[in-house]
């Protein structure tokens, strides 16, 4: 799989399969979930779990996937190179909501102006309860 003709970067089969699995997922996925999805589709031709972990590490270094730490486990999503995403993550059901804008970029500019500190990266994940889980934990009003 060629990423683009100008970079001439070619991904190995494991990386291509992992990207394909992430392309067909609308949620953050663990390596185990990616492995299960590929086994469902490719059966005996699916890469092993070690290959999936190695592929995810390489894809993260290439900025093609982003890792999010949830309850001690990394979950992954496909991103466009140069972009990053932030999420609202439900601590009850693990649902995640992608935030459409980055709230940290303006803060980074202020940090640079005030402290002469150049921010090179950041991570923002907000944990709480989604609407469905919140309604279960709140007492019903009569």
């Amino acid at each position: 799989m060629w990423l683009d003709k100008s970079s001439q970067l070619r991904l190995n089969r494991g990386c291509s399969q992992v990207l394909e699995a992430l392309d067909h997922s609308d949620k953050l996925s663990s390596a185990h979930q990616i492995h299960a999805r590929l086994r469902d589709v490719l059966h005996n031709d699916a890469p092993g779990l070690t290959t999936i972990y190695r592929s995810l590490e390489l894809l993260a270094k290439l900025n093609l996937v982003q890792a999010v730490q949830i309850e001690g486990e990394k979950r992954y999503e496909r991103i466009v190179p140069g972009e990053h995403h932030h999420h609202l993550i439900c601590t009850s059901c693990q649902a995640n909501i992608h935030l459409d804008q980055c709230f940290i970029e303006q803060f980074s500019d202020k940090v640079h102006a005030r402290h002469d500190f150049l921010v090179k990266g950041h991570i923002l994940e907000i944990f709480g309860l989604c609407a469905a889980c919140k309604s279960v934990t709140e007492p019903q009003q009569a």
Side-chain angles (χ1 to χ4, degrees):
M1 169 183 205
W2 294 95
L3 292 178
D4 68 46
K5 294 182 192 291
S6 63
S7 71
Q8 298 298 303
L9 180 61
R10 184 174 166 88
L11 296 178
N12 63 34
R13 188 173 71 139
C15 287
S16 296
Q17 290 170 329
V18 167
L19 284 177
E20 183 75 19
L22 288 171
D23 282 342
H24 290 93
S25 179
D26 60 348
K27 63 179 185 168
L28 296 167
S29 301
S30 69
H32 288 277
Q33 290 168 326
I34 294 166
H35 181 249
R37 195 172 303 127
L38 289 173
R39 295 228 11 148
D40 286 346
V41 174
L42 301 174
H43 308 290
N44 291 336
D45 291 332
L49 194 54
T50 301
T51 298
I52 290 172
Y53 275 111
R54 286 185 185 144
S55 297
L56 288 166
E57 285 181 33
L58 176 60
L59 293 168
K61 285 180 185 175
L62 294 171
N63 292 316
L64 296 174
V65 301
Q66 175 177 304
V68 176
Q69 193 80 15
I70 301 175
E71 292 187 344
E73 181 178 32
K74 285 185 180 179
R75 310 264 174 127
Y76 299 88
E77 70 179 333
R78 177 87 186 256
I79 59 170
V80 173
E83 287 186 358
H84 64 277
H85 297 162
H86 302 296
H87 304 89
L88 303 175
I89 300 169
C90 181
T91 55
S92 180
C93 71
Q94 306 306 311
N96 60 81
I97 300 167
H98 168 78
L99 296 174
D100 291 333
Q101 74 184 115
C102 178
F103 301 103
I104 303 296
E105 289 172 359
Q106 293 174 344
F107 176 73
S108 296
D109 293 341
K110 289 180 183 179
V111 166
H112 184 265
R114 180 174 287 171
H115 302 284
D116 194 25
F117 183 86
L118 180 60
V119 176
K120 300 294 266 177
H122 61 271
I123 299 169
L124 175 66
E125 309 305 334
I126 301 172
F127 297 89
L129 294 174
C130 68
C133 292
K134 188 176 122 191
S135 68
V136 170
T137 61
E138 291 181 341
Q140 298 294 325
Q141 296 183 2

